[in-house]
Amino acid sequence: MGTRTTGFSKTGLQRVRDVLARHVESGRIPGVVALVSRGEETHVEALGAMHHGGGAPMRRDTVFRMASTSKPVTMAAAVVLLDECRLRPDDPVEQWLPELADRQVLKRIDGPLDDTVPARRPITVRDVLTCTFGLGMDMTSLGTPIMNAVFEQGLTPDLPTPMPEPDEWMRRLGTLPLMHQPGERWQYHIGSDLLGVLVARVTGLPFETFLRERVLDPLGMTDTGFHVPADRTGRLPTLYAPDPRTGGFTVWDEATDGRWSKPPAFPGGGGGLVSTADDYHAYFRMLLNGGLHEGERILSRPAVDLMTTNRLTPEQNAARTAMALDNVHLSFGQGQHGGWGLGMAVRTYRGDYAPVGQFGWDGGSGTSTYADPEYGVTGILLTQVGLSVPNAAHLIHDFWTTVYQAVDY
């Protein structure tokens, strides 16, 4: 991959730490764990506290709710099936997901749910893997009948009631028309949750079981999963979703008896994982290493290339581009990468300090996980402040700005 790995400069790493400390000292970020690595060098900073107002200090092994940074990791389960020829990109998914046969498509995104035309073709595996199967979280279409129906059916996380178990979730999904024709447009999130159902139906195993056996355990990701066992609850910080109007800290999830205190009915590939900086480091280093982890092959090199290069046409990517560039007051500048691979963003233009080819994603709980083949850099930034306000997004931006200054060319 042409990786150059001469490490980081000492002054650069000090600037990374200083910027992280500034955010924590501001009072707007209770605590943060950050990891950067290049070649054989790994540096970790754990600053601040587990709770707003103090409490136990952040530690290297603190467990975080990964939110949408779950997407790059859970995608690996499906890619294993591509490698084994148990899935082909252009197979129709209805043989495993009969609920998605014979789709109807809305004539217009804001139209009534019964004003539809037939889908031009079946939904394929490729459509699901690239989040172009026809349904998604369209933040530019809030308030439309279809988005209202998605919420009313309980198809997304973050609602007061948890998502139903996978078969019931699929049944509900099957009652809705598609927003767009299969393959036409990238749409966020729902495809990543659908991926888990597809993997479970193909393998005959629960999604979390297959993911653990084929990806998490081989990588030594022992702190990663869809819930936090009782003996590790003390390592899970309180998650906050600050009030967008006042900035006041609002608790979104407590560690004890919270949303991750027991296995969920629906293991959400789109946002359900908890993990640590070191676990995620193992995963992204494996991708940088072409699918190898300590000499053991997890994914084939061609599969990794498929995941980490842009899969979308400008037309497919139009909605994502609009969200990032035209709604920066909502996205806080997140999402300006240009491309999307499988389960993650891929930079196709130089819009900030990160190089073209960098891949990874960010999470609404204040998480950011990327690696890049150009400089061989992996970075993991984890906090417990949701993106209901821009504070965590600003921290994420400043982290990457300083990380790339610290690269010793």
Side-chain angles (χ1 to χ4, degrees):
M1 287 187 173
T3 302
R4 290 169 294 181
T5 52
T6 52
F8 300 97
S9 70
K10 190 174 180 184
T11 53
L13 290 171
Q14 185 60 48
R15 178 172 285 182
V16 174
R17 182 183 172 84
D18 290 347
V19 162
L20 297 176
R22 190 192 313 160
H23 281 271
V24 171
E25 287 158 9
S26 75
R28 291 188 286 270
I29 302 290
V32 61
V33 175
L35 180 152
V36 293
S37 79
R38 191 169 186 230
E40 299 308 309
E41 268 192 66
T42 302
H43 301 270
V44 178
E45 301 286 356
L47 303 171
M50 299 276 280
H51 312 286
H52 176 58
M58 281 285 179
R59 303 189 326 195
R60 181 169 180 160
D61 68 350
T62 295
V63 175
F64 291 87
R65 302 160 189 84
M66 300 306 290
S68 286
T69 51
S70 303
K71 291 175 169 71
V73 171
T74 57
M75 176 57 69
V79 173
V80 165
L81 297 176
L82 292 182
D83 271 344
E84 296 182 349
C85 301
R86 296 165 76 182
L87 280 177
R88 300 183 197 93
D90 297 300
D91 283 342
V93 296
E94 59 198 51
Q95 57 190 298
W96 303 287
L97 306 172
E99 299 92 339
L100 295 183
D102 304 320
R103 293 292 79 201
Q104 292 289 311
V105 183
L106 290 175
K107 287 183 181 175
R108 42 182 291 174
I109 192 74
D110 57 353
L113 298 185
D114 58 358
D115 189 16
T116 61
V117 296
R120 287 194 292 264
R121 63 163 175 79
I123 294 169
T124 65
V125 171
R126 188 187 303 273
D127 299 330
V128 175
L129 296 185
T130 57
C131 288
T132 60
F133 83 99
L135 274 172
M137 296 290 294
D138 188 340
M139 295 306 168
T140 61
S141 300
L142 293 178
T144 57
I146 185 64
M147 280 305 299
N148 289 345
V150 165
F151 293 131
E152 287 161 8
Q153 293 282 353
L155 295 175
T156 63
D158 304 349
L159 299 172
T161 54
M163 286 159 64
E165 52 84 26
D167 287 349
E168 171 61 14
W169 186 87
M170 276 306 308
R171 186 195 68 76
R172 296 182 192 180
L173 188 70
T175 66
L176 300 179
L178 302 180
M179 297 172 173
H180 299 283
Q181 289 284 345
E184 187 175 73
R185 179 153 314 185
W186 182 92
Q187 292 186 283
Y188 194 48
H189 187 78
I190 294 179
S192 301
D193 280 341
L194 181 59
L195 175 89
V197 185
L198 177 62
V199 168
R201 297 263 181 100
V202 171
T203 62
L205 294 170
F207 178 50
E208 64 272 30
T209 302
F210 188 76
L211 180 69
R212 177 155 307 286
E213 289 178 357
R214 300 304 303 274
V215 180
L216 303 180
D217 283 353
L219 286 166
M221 296 174 69
T222 54
D223 285 321
T224 304
F226 291 103
H227 81 289
V228 180
D231 61 352
R232 300 180 198 173
T233 304
R235 291 163 53 195
L236 185 70
T238 304
L239 177 62
Y240 301 95
D243 187 310
R245 294 177 300 279
T246 66
F249 276 79
T250 304
V251 172
W252 195 83
D253 189 54
E254 291 281 14
T256 305
D257 297 325
R259 292 172 185 239
W260 278 267
S261 59
K262 60 182 184 297
F266 189 102
L273 289 181
V274 292
S275 192
T276 62
D278 281 298
D279 275 15
Y280 257 63
H281 182 217
Y283 181 76
F284 277 85
R285 282 288 298 273
M286 177 272 292
L287 294 180
L288 272 189
N289 205 25
L292 282 174
H293 172 73
E294 295 177 355
E296 182 180 352
R297 183 153 295 286
I298 311 296
L299 301 171
S300 71
R301 181 177 283 275
V304 173
D305 290 344
L306 194 67
M307 295 172 76
T308 60
T309 52
N310 180 43
R311 303 263 63 77
L312 301 181
T313 65
E315 293 77 19
Q316 288 174 320
N317 209 23
R320 196 168 100 78
T321 302
M323 182 67 194
L325 300 181
D326 299 341
N327 296 287
V328 289
H329 57 293
L330 298 175
S331 65
F332 313 125
Q334 304 298 87
Q336 295 189 37
H337 314 85
W340 189 263
L342 300 183
M344 63 191 100
V346 180
R347 288 193 185 271
T348 57
Y349 69 97
R350 188 99 190 210
D352 52 30
Y353 285 26
V356 170
Q358 186 204 44
F359 52 81
W361 196 227
D362 307 291
S365 56
T367 56
S368 185
T369 59
Y370 288 85
D372 86 80
E374 174 78 14
Y375 301 121
V377 168
T378 302
I380 317 286
L381 180 88
L382 307 172
T383 184
Q384 78 274 53
V385 180
L387 291 176
S388 51
V389 294
N391 298 330
H394 293 162
L395 168 63
I396 290 167
H397 175 275
D398 295 352
F399 170 70
W400 289 108
T401 298
T402 53
V403 165
Y404 278 105
Q405 290 177 66
V407 172
D408 195 349
Y409 300 101

